[in-house]
Amino acid sequence: MHQQEQGLRKATIRQFSVDTAEDYDTDLDLEESEKNNPDASWRDTYIEACCKLGVVPTSYFLLHMNEPYMGLNHHGLGPRGARAVAISLLSNTTINHLSLEDNWIQAQGLTHLVKMLRENHYIQELNLSNNHLGVEGSEVFARMLMDNVSLHRINLAHNHFTDQSAKHFAEALTTNFRVMKLDLSHNEFSEKGGEYIGQMLAANEGLQELNVSWNHIRIKGAIALSAGLRVNGMLKVLNLSHNGFGNEGALALGEALRVNSSLLHLDISCNRISNEGVRLLCKGLEYNDSLRVLKLSRNPLTVEGAITLLSSVTKLQDNKVEELDISNVLVNPKFLSLLEAASNCRPALRVLYAGKQGFITQKSAARPDPMRVIQDFLDERKLRMLDFFKNMDKDGTMSVPVSDFLRYITMAGVPLDAVQMDSLIERLDRDQTGTIDYRNLIDSRKKMVKDLRKQQRRRERRERQERQRRERALKSFHNAVRALTPPPASRGAPWSIVSSAHFSVTPLSSWYEEGELRDQAGSPQIQNGEPENLETERYCSSRGSMVSQGFSEPFTPKRTPSPLSE
């Protein structure tokens, strides 16, 4: 009976080889394979599993089971095909790199792969990208990661993971320090996801490369992630491109880079970071001596931002940046001269830019309002406007012909050019009657003063809102750092890591919302007789420090003291 089963398996494999010979360059010769390969039972197990599950065996899998790399990308395995592969790999000791990209495995098929990974301790690199795993799949995979000791590099891109998935991975990587490279790009992480990733970075002590590009991480998530980066001491490569950090996120990253001493490669391309965001980022970048590569392409930068960035990078000799990517920015001669001087001092510096036709935007000086010119002219001579125009009204009719008005203005020496004169006449003689009622002139002056005050209030309100956003981002950053830092009693202890319970009980972004509501209340909190945000404003002072003394900084090893602490 046993010999009949063996004969049936051999016949099945021979028939499979004949059917697939036209599609593949190599054929399957079972007799010679069994002589040369003592582990032919793996193939038998796979064929048997395929027969039971009703799936067609994959010849590439059968032919390369004894090689370290197994690439089954785009084979359409589906859940059942993945289960057959998992069954055959339970006892495989050869394959250490398994790639199953784009096979529509889903959570159902992942369940069987996870069972295999719990038993197989030889697979070190795993690619499960683009397999529609979803939230259910992330939970299954994260449970396996808590116990797995062999996986070092994992690719889970394009799997429709949400913020709940980020929570699952954060819980797993709080205890698993063996994973060194993790790709979670092209998923659906947003604010909560950014917070969970930040918590994971603060707790993990093994991850060296992390890719969360092409997600939806905005300001709150960016601040939380940056806070985790500040506490982290192992990460070397971080890809945050194609999210939405904005200028507030750039501010938080600058604060993280001020202290972080492990990061070598940072990609923040396409993150809505403007020239102002680069300025805030550079405040912390000036004190960083570890970063080697900084990518800022496809951000709304101009040559002004590029000059600020290059000046910051070359300002201190301890700065080790070797590559700057601003490949969408057109530069000008001023930037090129600065780059040439920097290259003489640092030959290894490489800057990628778009071309040499950039220019610094300069707004042409607008002509002052003619009414404002007249008012300033009269103020210098301590004259009233009504008295000034009564001198040209000999008849006392409160109206003056346009020609007489223009002649008198010129003779009096009022500094108005032809364009301003035309604008003034158009405003005062709207009906084009040829005469000017200077009572309208006085009304026009009142309207001018009102408009100027309105513009001033609008400008002050806009500046105040921008300042409050920066202050709120900075407060939120330090609140998040304190939330992610172990208490003083556990600092230095080998077990002082963030427990998994931390992820489930922490209210989402409570550190951010409290500060935001306090700012919106309109009155700063008073502590020790001083407004709480008094020190916050110092981060944009001429001394260059963004770190506030009023935030009771958590313990982190600093390499360079803040200028405010001098």
Side-chain angles (χ1 to χ4, degrees):
M1 184 66 180
H2 179 70
Q3 294 180 350
Q4 292 179 354
E5 291 180 355
Q6 291 289 341
L8 179 59
R9 289 178 182 173
K10 294 179 181 179
T12 303
I13 295 175
R14 288 196 186 96
Q15 183 62 39
F16 172 73
S17 302
V18 173
D19 294 340
T20 58
E22 297 179 358
D23 297 329
Y24 294 90
D25 295 334
T26 59
D27 200 357
L28 187 64
D29 190 339
L30 179 66
E31 300 295 339
E32 184 176 352
S33 176
E34 286 188 346
K35 292 178 181 179
N36 299 332
N37 180 16
D39 298 320
S41 60
W42 297 339
R43 295 188 175 91
D44 296 341
T45 302
Y46 177 62
I47 293 295
E48 183 178 354
C50 289
C51 292
K52 289 182 177 180
L53 296 172
V55 296
V56 177
T58 302
S59 66
Y60 182 90
F61 185 65
L62 290 166
L63 291 168
H64 298 84
M65 293 184 78
N66 292 320
E67 297 179 8
Y69 171 73
M70 175 58 68
L72 293 175
N73 302 335
H74 319 292
H75 275 72
L77 296 178
R80 291 186 297 170
R83 182 179 180 182
V85 170
I87 292 174
S88 62
L89 291 181
L90 277 172
S91 58
N92 186 288
T93 60
T94 304
I95 298 173
N96 56 38
H97 182 179
L98 177 61
S99 183
L100 299 173
E101 179 182 353
D102 187 25
N103 276 288
W104 208 278
I105 293 174
Q106 302 180 0
Q108 179 183 354
L110 180 63
T111 303
H112 303 290
L113 290 173
V114 161
K115 292 179 181 179
M116 176 270 294
L117 291 171
R118 292 182 185 275
E119 303 294 333
N120 186 318
H121 301 301
Y122 295 90
I123 297 178
Q124 300 178 4
E125 186 167 353
L126 179 63
N127 183 358
L128 289 175
S129 60
N130 200 11
N131 273 296
H132 302 267
L133 302 182
V135 177
E136 183 181 353
S138 67
E139 184 176 6
V140 171
F141 194 85
R143 288 177 182 172
M144 178 274 297
L145 277 182
M146 291 182 179
D147 304 322
N148 186 276
V149 296
S150 62
L151 286 175
H152 298 320
R153 293 171 291 276
I154 304 172
N155 187 345
L156 295 171
H158 286 282
N159 271 302
H160 305 288
F161 292 146
T162 64
D163 291 336
Q164 189 66 23
S165 305
K167 179 181 179 181
H168 297 151
F169 293 125
E171 290 174 345
L173 294 175
T174 301
T175 56
N176 185 328
F177 296 163
R178 294 182 178 272
V179 177
M180 296 186 297
K181 181 178 180 180
L182 179 62
D183 188 345
L184 293 171
S185 62
H186 293 84
N187 282 296
E188 300 170 10
F189 301 146
S190 58
E191 307 293 1
K192 291 183 181 180
E195 181 178 5
Y196 292 133
I197 293 173
Q199 293 173 343
M200 179 267 290
L201 287 177
N204 187 277
E205 298 177 0
L207 193 64
Q208 298 182 11
E209 295 185 36
L210 176 63
N211 186 350
V212 288
S213 61
W214 290 94
N215 280 280
H216 314 296
I217 302 175
R218 303 294 188 256
I219 297 176
K220 293 182 182 179
I223 292 173
L225 194 151
S226 300
L229 179 63
R230 184 185 191 276
V231 179
N232 183 278
M234 289 296 296
L235 196 67
K236 292 181 171 55
V237 179
L238 179 59
N239 189 342
L240 300 171
S241 61
H242 295 87
N243 279 284
F245 274 45
N247 293 341
E248 290 82 0
L251 166 64
L253 281 173
E255 281 293 280
L257 291 176
R258 178 185 292 274
V259 175
N260 184 282
S261 60
S262 64
L263 195 66
L264 304 178
H265 185 290
L266 176 62
D267 189 347
I268 47 176
S269 303
C270 198
N271 264 288
R272 307 175 187 174
I273 299 174
S274 65
N275 293 342
E276 175 65 14
V278 167
R279 186 185 70 81
L280 297 173
L281 176 68
C282 290
K283 289 287 186 178
L285 188 61
E286 290 176 357
Y287 298 94
N288 183 280
D289 59 3
S290 63
L291 194 67
R292 298 294 190 273
V293 178
L294 177 59
K295 296 188 175 183
L296 275 161
S297 63
R298 296 185 295 280
N299 279 296
L301 301 180
T302 66
V303 66
E304 296 170 288
I307 291 174
T308 301
L309 181 62
L310 185 58
S311 301
S312 173
V313 167
T314 58
K315 185 175 181 179
L316 299 178
Q317 294 182 351
D318 292 339
N319 194 290
K320 297 297 191 301
V321 173
E322 299 175 353
E323 180 179 336
L324 283 177
D325 185 354
I326 48 173
S327 53
N328 64 309
V329 179
L330 294 171
V331 301
N332 61 4
K334 180 179 179 181
F335 177 89
L336 294 175
S337 61
L338 183 62
L339 177 60
E340 183 179 0
S343 300
N344 293 333
C345 301
R346 298 169 57 178
L349 181 61
R350 179 169 174 255
V351 180
L352 305 178
Y353 54 86
K356 304 178 181 181
Q357 300 177 355
F359 61 92
I360 296 178
T361 304
Q362 294 181 348
K363 294 182 179 179
S364 57
R367 289 185 174 89
D369 187 282
M371 287 303 305
R372 182 61 181 268
V373 174
I374 294 175
Q375 183 64 51
D376 293 342
F377 177 83
L378 296 177
D379 290 342
E380 291 176 1
R381 290 158 179 77
K382 298 181 180 181
L383 297 174
R384 292 193 312 165
M385 184 171 290
L386 187 61
D387 297 336
F388 177 73
F389 285 101
K390 276 185 178 180
N391 292 332
M392 71 177 74
D393 181 18
K394 305 300 181 181
D395 301 332
T397 59
M398 302 292 288
S399 63
V400 181
V402 171
S403 57
D404 294 345
F405 176 80
L406 294 175
R407 184 170 58 254
Y408 187 84
I409 289 290
T410 303
M411 291 175 60
V414 180
L416 293 177
D417 57 24
V419 176
Q420 291 173 313
M421 286 284 196
D422 293 341
S423 175
L424 184 60
I425 296 301
E426 183 179 354
R427 182 187 302 179
L428 300 177
D429 187 17
R430 296 177 180 175
D431 299 332
Q432 298 182 355
T433 59
T435 60
I436 294 176
D437 188 337
Y438 57 82
R439 286 173 295 189
N440 295 338
L441 191 65
I442 298 175
D443 294 338
S444 180
R445 172 184 171 276
K446 293 180 180 179
K447 184 177 183 301
M448 177 202 69
V449 174
K450 184 178 180 180
D451 291 343
L452 287 175
R453 290 175 178 173
K454 185 183 295 184
Q455 292 176 6
Q456 179 69 14
R457 288 195 298 269
R458 188 182 299 114
R459 182 167 55 254
E460 292 175 353
R461 182 169 60 252
R462 183 168 57 250
E463 292 175 355
R464 183 172 62 254
Q465 289 174 347
E466 292 177 356
R467 184 174 61 254
Q468 288 176 349
R469 281 198 298 269
R470 292 195 297 267
E471 292 173 355
R472 187 160 58 244
L474 194 59
K475 287 180 182 180
S476 302
F477 174 82
H478 288 294
N479 289 339
V481 170
R482 285 198 298 272
L484 297 175
T485 304
S490 62
R491 288 171 185 166
W495 57 86
S496 59
I497 60 174
V498 182
S499 65
S500 59
H502 176 71
F503 296 95
S504 58
V505 301
T506 302
L508 171 64
S509 301
S510 59
W511 42 267
Y512 186 94
E513 295 172 354
E514 291 174 0
E516 183 177 21
L517 291 174
R518 189 163 59 243
D519 288 338
Q520 291 176 350
S523 59
Q525 300 291 324
I526 304 299
Q527 294 181 359
N528 300 326
E530 294 185 357
E532 184 184 19
N533 64 350
L534 178 62
E535 294 290 341
T536 308
E537 297 179 359
R538 298 182 184 176
Y539 82 92
C540 55
S541 65
S542 59
R543 305 189 71 178
S545 175
M546 294 186 294
V547 180
S548 167
Q549 296 175 347
F551 288 131
S552 65
E553 290 273 339
F555 173 81
T556 46
K558 290 189 176 182
R559 294 168 283 99
T560 305
S562 170
L564 286 181
S565 63
E566 296 176 356

